[in-house]
Amino acid sequence: MDGSKFDNRDNPAADIYLQLVKKHHCPKSTEGTPRTLTELKIYVRNRVSATIFATYPRLN
């Protein structure tokens, strides 16, 4: 990801989330777009890692 293209460099959570969903086909959050890096971290921990392990079960 190119951080120089983030709309809000002080809090890039929404930009990172949108790139994960649009470019990397991660599932959308049921909680809406993460607004903080902490919310993004929770999203990644809960949704993205679950998707990776469901897609690649040998990693478990």
Side-chain angles (χ1 to χ4, degrees):
M1 291 184 201
D2 184 357
S4 68
K5 295 182 180 178
F6 291 158
D7 291 333
N8 183 351
R9 290 188 190 176
D10 292 329
N11 186 14
D15 291 323
I16 294 169
Y17 168 77
L18 292 173
Q19 284 191 26
L20 288 171
V21 171
K22 291 179 180 180
K23 293 184 179 180
H24 302 286
H25 310 290
C26 292
K28 289 185 178 181
S29 172
T30 57
E31 306 292 321
T33 301
R35 295 183 188 158
T36 65
L37 290 174
T38 300
E39 289 177 4
L40 180 66
K41 182 179 177 181
I42 293 168
Y43 160 76
V44 168
R45 186 180 302 147
N46 294 336
R47 301 286 295 171
V48 175
S49 60
T51 300
I52 291 169
F53 287 120
T55 305
Y56 303 100
R58 285 191 257 155
L59 294 175
N60 285 330

